[in-house]
Amino acid sequence: MIYDTVIVGKGPAGVSAAIYLARANLRVLVIGKGYGALEGASVIENYYGFSEPIDARILHENGMKQAKRLGAEILEDEVIDISQNYEDGSFSVSTPNEKFLAKSVLLATGKARKNLKIPGFMDFLGKGISFCAICDGFFFKGKRIGVIGSGDYAAHEAQELVRFSKDITIFTNGKEAESDKFPPEVKFVKDKILKISGEDKVEKIETELNNYQIDGIFVAEGTAGAGDFALKLGIVTKDDNILVDSGYMTNIPGIFAAGDCIGGLLQIAKAVSDGANVSISIKSYLKNKNGKGK
Amino acid sequence: MIYDTVIVGKGPAGVSAAIYLARANLRVLVIGKGYGALEGASVIENYYGFSEPIDARILHENGMKQAKRLGAEILEDEVIDISQNYEDGSFSVSTPNEKFLAKSVLLATGKARKNLKIPGFMDFLGKGISFCAICDGFFFKGKRIGVIGSGDYAAHEAQELVRFSKDITIFTNGKEAESDKFPPEVKFVKDKILKISGEDKVEKIETELNNYQIDGIFVAEGTAGAGDFALKLGIVTKDDNILVDSGYMTNIPGIFAAGDCIGGLLQIAKAVSDGANVSISIKSYLKNKNGKGK
């Protein structure tokens, strides 16, 4: 079974696209955790059509009910990987427990990654700090690797990294390990990170209880965002925004992006409109693709 | 008293812009008649945020209440003229009974004019048929002029035309004259128009009861649309859409356009997003303008 579109993110952009695509009788799956762009906004009063301020969570629930009523499937889960199957050009979208096949993918994960607020973090970006195990794991072959994170996404990155090194430490930064998918060979450091230090490049992670010699750090906190997938898939970004053409398609045919992750006005109105617009473009992409018998 | 922005049209684009501008503490007036883009749509199910299909009129009412609650003024009336005051660059926006001053104008009148479904109409477009008395009245100096229309907009066009000719006939095309603003010197023909005819250019209007020799026809049916204002003000259009820059400004500084009248996806989602986007641009325009002490 293959979906016409798997949408990553269930904020206003993703769900608006799902509404349009489901209404066009396409098979759509939305996967997301949390509230997307509605996270943080408690009460909304500038989105057209509501005479009284509306609670962000109610708007979010309304949108999901609306999409489901029209035939979209919605899965409350975290996407930890997206990859392309080169035989047929289809895509695999993975959650910690399942893998879904799709003819097209829409990234609607909201505004990209938050940088870590740890002293030294900004100084060593690109100097031993990476956001993508598949991209950069090779550079740390046989070295001491730290992964900052505690959930499924961190576990997934660690699984990639054990192919390159057996010396992997998960720094949960004060949290408990929240995934059962960590490879057995990793060590855990669970106290808070105080500082990342080194001369020209990362050399050490200092925590409340100890110091750890480290050659490279992979950041995998929270949920993977559009920026993380972009890195892995080779999608072109600019200023932390995913670059799309006038049809909201990225440089990889079949992968689209909409909402806050492509920049522009960070407003529900704009995200919803992106969702409507990208659906037209996805429909036309799928039509051409099917037309060519692929 | 001068408004920061007068918005022409109270569909989703105009009212969404009003919501944002009013929230930014600007003095905003929305003038419009009817339902804008919501006219015709009876039930809406693809605009994000409503778990059940919503009646177009209710959405419209909700939007207006929302804008009013945030401080926008809304006037249920028809805009019949927009002109620029060259001394200070401000704009005058006229209804049949009032004139409002504005620092900026937003055209959000929805999709442009409907062409008349009268045999011969398309054949003589540009060959004696005009949509703008101010633009083309001069060419019919002392000639026999027909105005097709019955309301305030037709009356306003007739007022312009009496400066050029005393031989003006209002063809109401089966309707009663619905304005008390027609100049006293005009004649009325109230039966249905059957055909517009001529050799190379308009020569005759044939109605159910009679034929009338006519040199030029001005179409002013219904409410003036963005296309009509564009013509009068010299705003550049393309394929019946108003051309705007990335900040939704037309070629005339201070006049903006949003929603269906600028083309693109003719959907509520897109109109609402246009409204949000144009408001940012208007705010920045007004700030620069005030900064320069104008």
PDB file of all heavy atoms in Angstrom, chain A residues 161-180:
ATOM      1  N   LEU A 161      24.936   5.989  13.958  1.00  0.00           N
ATOM      2  CA  LEU A 161      26.323   6.265  14.343  1.00  0.00           C
ATOM      3  C   LEU A 161      27.085   5.017  14.785  1.00  0.00           C
ATOM      4  O   LEU A 161      28.301   4.957  14.630  1.00  0.00           O
ATOM      5  CB  LEU A 161      26.359   7.334  15.442  1.00  0.00           C
ATOM      6  CG  LEU A 161      25.925   8.734  14.958  1.00  0.00           C
ATOM      7  CD1 LEU A 161      25.668   9.661  16.142  1.00  0.00           C
ATOM      8  CD2 LEU A 161      26.983   9.346  14.022  1.00  0.00           C
ATOM      9  N   VAL A 162      26.373   4.005  15.315  1.00  0.00           N
ATOM     10  CA  VAL A 162      27.096   2.793  15.748  1.00  0.00           C
ATOM     11  C   VAL A 162      27.761   2.098  14.566  1.00  0.00           C
ATOM     12  O   VAL A 162      28.639   1.263  14.758  1.00  0.00           O
ATOM     13  CB  VAL A 162      26.202   1.777  16.521  1.00  0.00           C
ATOM     14  CG1 VAL A 162      25.862   2.341  17.895  1.00  0.00           C
ATOM     15  CG2 VAL A 162      24.955   1.432  15.739  1.00  0.00           C
ATOM     16  N   ARG A 163      27.359   2.427  13.370  1.00  0.00           N
ATOM     17  CA  ARG A 163      28.037   1.869  12.192  1.00  0.00           C
ATOM     18  C   ARG A 163      29.454   2.436  12.063  1.00  0.00           C
ATOM     19  O   ARG A 163      30.310   1.848  11.429  1.00  0.00           O
ATOM     20  CB  ARG A 163      27.248   2.185  10.919  1.00  0.00           C
ATOM     21  CG  ARG A 163      25.874   1.502  10.878  1.00  0.00           C
ATOM     22  CD  ARG A 163      24.952   2.121   9.833  1.00  0.00           C
ATOM     23  NE  ARG A 163      25.612   2.263   8.542  1.00  0.00           N
ATOM     24  CZ  ARG A 163      25.343   3.210   7.660  1.00  0.00           C
ATOM     25  NH1 ARG A 163      24.438   4.121   7.928  1.00  0.00           N
ATOM     26  NH2 ARG A 163      25.982   3.270   6.520  1.00  0.00           N
ATOM     27  N   PHE A 164      29.675   3.616  12.651  1.00  0.00           N
ATOM     28  CA  PHE A 164      30.964   4.287  12.490  1.00  0.00           C
ATOM     29  C   PHE A 164      31.850   4.197  13.726  1.00  0.00           C
ATOM     30  O   PHE A 164      33.062   4.272  13.627  1.00  0.00           O
ATOM     31  CB  PHE A 164      30.755   5.758  12.120  1.00  0.00           C
ATOM     32  CG  PHE A 164      29.976   5.938  10.858  1.00  0.00           C
ATOM     33  CD1 PHE A 164      28.674   6.418  10.875  1.00  0.00           C
ATOM     34  CD2 PHE A 164      30.551   5.597   9.641  1.00  0.00           C
ATOM     35  CE1 PHE A 164      27.955   6.573   9.705  1.00  0.00           C
ATOM     36  CE2 PHE A 164      29.831   5.742   8.453  1.00  0.00           C
ATOM     37  CZ  PHE A 164      28.529   6.234   8.491  1.00  0.00           C
ATOM     38  N   SER A 165      31.220   4.086  14.887  1.00  0.00           N
ATOM     39  CA  SER A 165      32.029   4.099  16.100  1.00  0.00           C
ATOM     40  C   SER A 165      31.331   3.323  17.203  1.00  0.00           C
ATOM     41  O   SER A 165      30.097   3.277  17.273  1.00  0.00           O
ATOM     42  CB  SER A 165      32.259   5.554  16.552  1.00  0.00           C
ATOM     43  OG  SER A 165      32.843   5.573  17.841  1.00  0.00           O
ATOM     44  N   LYS A 166      32.120   2.711  18.050  1.00  0.00           N
ATOM     45  CA  LYS A 166      31.550   1.994  19.192  1.00  0.00           C
ATOM     46  C   LYS A 166      31.556   2.869  20.443  1.00  0.00           C
ATOM     47  O   LYS A 166      30.998   2.495  21.468  1.00  0.00           O
ATOM     48  CB  LYS A 166      32.328   0.687  19.469  1.00  0.00           C
ATOM     49  CG  LYS A 166      32.292  -0.297  18.302  1.00  0.00           C
ATOM     50  CD  LYS A 166      30.855  -0.739  17.960  1.00  0.00           C
ATOM     51  CE  LYS A 166      30.765  -1.198  16.491  1.00  0.00           C
ATOM     52  NZ  LYS A 166      29.410  -1.118  15.932  1.00  0.00           N
ATOM     53  N   ASP A 167      32.227   4.017  20.342  1.00  0.00           N
ATOM     54  CA  ASP A 167      32.337   4.904  21.508  1.00  0.00           C
ATOM     55  C   ASP A 167      31.305   6.024  21.415  1.00  0.00           C
ATOM     56  O   ASP A 167      31.595   7.143  20.994  1.00  0.00           O
ATOM     57  CB  ASP A 167      33.760   5.467  21.574  1.00  0.00           C
ATOM     58  CG  ASP A 167      34.005   6.254  22.861  1.00  0.00           C
ATOM     59  OD1 ASP A 167      33.018   6.552  23.571  1.00  0.00           O
ATOM     60  OD2 ASP A 167      35.169   6.571  23.137  1.00  0.00           O
ATOM     61  N   ILE A 168      30.085   5.682  21.785  1.00  0.00           N
ATOM     62  CA  ILE A 168      28.996   6.659  21.658  1.00  0.00           C
ATOM     63  C   ILE A 168      28.353   6.911  23.014  1.00  0.00           C
ATOM     64  O   ILE A 168      27.980   5.973  23.724  1.00  0.00           O
ATOM     65  CB  ILE A 168      27.934   6.160  20.657  1.00  0.00           C
ATOM     66  CG1 ILE A 168      28.578   6.116  19.253  1.00  0.00           C
ATOM     67  CG2 ILE A 168      26.709   7.075  20.661  1.00  0.00           C
ATOM     68  CD1 ILE A 168      27.679   5.570  18.198  1.00  0.00           C
ATOM     69  N   THR A 169      28.272   8.194  23.354  1.00  0.00           N
ATOM     70  CA  THR A 169      27.648   8.570  24.620  1.00  0.00           C
ATOM     71  C   THR A 169      26.421   9.433  24.341  1.00  0.00           C
ATOM     72  O   THR A 169      26.495  10.399  23.579  1.00  0.00           O
ATOM     73  CB  THR A 169      28.631   9.379  25.491  1.00  0.00           C
ATOM     74  OG1 THR A 169      29.855   8.659  25.578  1.00  0.00           O
ATOM     75  CG2 THR A 169      28.055   9.611  26.880  1.00  0.00           C
ATOM     76  N   ILE A 170      25.321   9.057  24.965  1.00  0.00           N
ATOM     77  CA  ILE A 170      24.094   9.843  24.836  1.00  0.00           C
ATOM     78  C   ILE A 170      24.041  10.820  26.012  1.00  0.00           C
ATOM     79  O   ILE A 170      24.018  10.394  27.167  1.00  0.00           O
ATOM     80  CB  ILE A 170      22.832   8.940  24.883  1.00  0.00           C
ATOM     81  CG1 ILE A 170      22.977   7.734  23.937  1.00  0.00           C
ATOM     82  CG2 ILE A 170      21.577   9.761  24.592  1.00  0.00           C
ATOM     83  CD1 ILE A 170      23.102   8.081  22.485  1.00  0.00           C
ATOM     84  N   PHE A 171      24.034  12.105  25.708  1.00  0.00           N
ATOM     85  CA  PHE A 171      23.909  13.124  26.762  1.00  0.00           C
ATOM     86  C   PHE A 171      22.449  13.560  26.809  1.00  0.00           C
ATOM     87  O   PHE A 171      21.983  14.265  25.915  1.00  0.00           O
ATOM     88  CB  PHE A 171      24.821  14.323  26.457  1.00  0.00           C
ATOM     89  CG  PHE A 171      26.287  13.995  26.569  1.00  0.00           C
ATOM     90  CD1 PHE A 171      26.976  13.448  25.491  1.00  0.00           C
ATOM     91  CD2 PHE A 171      26.976  14.225  27.748  1.00  0.00           C
ATOM     92  CE1 PHE A 171      28.330  13.139  25.583  1.00  0.00           C
ATOM     93  CE2 PHE A 171      28.328  13.924  27.859  1.00  0.00           C
ATOM     94  CZ  PHE A 171      29.009  13.366  26.773  1.00  0.00           C
ATOM     95  N   THR A 172      21.734  13.111  27.823  1.00  0.00           N
ATOM     96  CA  THR A 172      20.297  13.434  27.871  1.00  0.00           C
ATOM     97  C   THR A 172      20.037  14.821  28.436  1.00  0.00           C
ATOM     98  O   THR A 172      18.907  15.298  28.416  1.00  0.00           O
ATOM     99  CB  THR A 172      19.527  12.397  28.722  1.00  0.00           C
ATOM    100  OG1 THR A 172      20.032  12.458  30.061  1.00  0.00           O
ATOM    101  CG2 THR A 172      19.702  10.993  28.187  1.00  0.00           C
ATOM    102  N   ASN A 173      21.096  15.460  28.953  1.00  0.00           N
ATOM    103  CA  ASN A 173      20.979  16.846  29.424  1.00  0.00           C
ATOM    104  C   ASN A 173      19.904  17.011  30.498  1.00  0.00           C
ATOM    105  O   ASN A 173      19.036  17.881  30.406  1.00  0.00           O
ATOM    106  CB  ASN A 173      20.723  17.765  28.235  1.00  0.00           C
ATOM    107  CG  ASN A 173      21.025  19.232  28.568  1.00  0.00           C
ATOM    108  OD1 ASN A 173      21.669  19.539  29.574  1.00  0.00           O
ATOM    109  ND2 ASN A 173      20.540  20.128  27.723  1.00  0.00           N
ATOM    110  N   GLY A 174      19.937  16.148  31.476  1.00  0.00           N
ATOM    111  CA  GLY A 174      19.024  16.286  32.611  1.00  0.00           C
ATOM    112  C   GLY A 174      17.737  15.495  32.478  1.00  0.00           C
ATOM    113  O   GLY A 174      16.909  15.492  33.383  1.00  0.00           O
ATOM    114  N   LYS A 175      17.535  14.835  31.335  1.00  0.00           N
ATOM    115  CA  LYS A 175      16.297  14.068  31.166  1.00  0.00           C
ATOM    116  C   LYS A 175      16.557  12.581  31.343  1.00  0.00           C
ATOM    117  O   LYS A 175      17.693  12.117  31.381  1.00  0.00           O
ATOM    118  CB  LYS A 175      15.734  14.307  29.763  1.00  0.00           C
ATOM    119  CG  LYS A 175      15.294  15.740  29.534  1.00  0.00           C
ATOM    120  CD  LYS A 175      14.613  15.875  28.195  1.00  0.00           C
ATOM    121  CE  LYS A 175      14.194  17.317  27.971  1.00  0.00           C
ATOM    122  NZ  LYS A 175      13.842  17.565  26.568  1.00  0.00           N
ATOM    123  N   GLU A 176      15.453  11.817  31.428  1.00  0.00           N
ATOM    124  CA  GLU A 176      15.570  10.361  31.346  1.00  0.00           C
ATOM    125  C   GLU A 176      15.585   9.957  29.873  1.00  0.00           C
ATOM    126  O   GLU A 176      15.060  10.675  29.023  1.00  0.00           O
ATOM    127  CB  GLU A 176      14.373   9.700  32.053  1.00  0.00           C
ATOM    128  CG  GLU A 176      14.518   9.634  33.574  1.00  0.00           C
ATOM    129  CD  GLU A 176      15.820   8.948  34.004  1.00  0.00           C
ATOM    130  OE1 GLU A 176      16.111   7.841  33.531  1.00  0.00           O
ATOM    131  OE2 GLU A 176      16.566   9.555  34.811  1.00  0.00           O
ATOM    132  N   ALA A 177      16.179   8.822  29.570  1.00  0.00           N
ATOM    133  CA  ALA A 177      16.114   8.298  28.197  1.00  0.00           C
ATOM    134  C   ALA A 177      14.671   7.918  27.909  1.00  0.00           C
ATOM    135  O   ALA A 177      14.057   7.168  28.679  1.00  0.00           O
ATOM    136  CB  ALA A 177      17.030   7.098  28.045  1.00  0.00           C
ATOM    137  N   GLU A 178      14.099   8.510  26.839  1.00  0.00           N
ATOM    138  CA  GLU A 178      12.658   8.339  26.593  1.00  0.00           C
ATOM    139  C   GLU A 178      12.365   7.423  25.411  1.00  0.00           C
ATOM    140  O   GLU A 178      11.286   7.450  24.847  1.00  0.00           O
ATOM    141  CB  GLU A 178      12.019   9.714  26.341  1.00  0.00           C
ATOM    142  CG  GLU A 178      11.986  10.608  27.580  1.00  0.00           C
ATOM    143  CD  GLU A 178      12.016  12.092  27.219  1.00  0.00           C
ATOM    144  OE1 GLU A 178      12.356  12.414  26.064  1.00  0.00           O
ATOM    145  OE2 GLU A 178      11.702  12.904  28.102  1.00  0.00           O
ATOM    146  N   SER A 179      13.345   6.650  24.999  1.00  0.00           N
ATOM    147  CA  SER A 179      13.144   5.749  23.866  1.00  0.00           C
ATOM    148  C   SER A 179      13.700   4.379  24.224  1.00  0.00           C
ATOM    149  O   SER A 179      14.674   4.265  24.971  1.00  0.00           O
ATOM    150  CB  SER A 179      13.859   6.298  22.636  1.00  0.00           C
ATOM    151  OG  SER A 179      13.841   5.350  21.589  1.00  0.00           O
ATOM    152  N   ASP A 180      13.064   3.326  23.703  1.00  0.00           N
ATOM    153  CA  ASP A 180      13.611   1.976  23.928  1.00  0.00           C
ATOM    154  C   ASP A 180      14.379   1.501  22.695  1.00  0.00           C
ATOM    155  O   ASP A 180      14.655   0.331  22.521  1.00  0.00           O
ATOM    156  CB  ASP A 180      12.497   0.999  24.282  1.00  0.00           C
ATOM    157  CG  ASP A 180      11.388   1.007  23.255  1.00  0.00           C
ATOM    158  OD1 ASP A 180      11.524   1.695  22.216  1.00  0.00           O
ATOM    159  OD2 ASP A 180      10.368   0.323  23.489  1.00  0.00           O
TER     160      ASP A 180
END
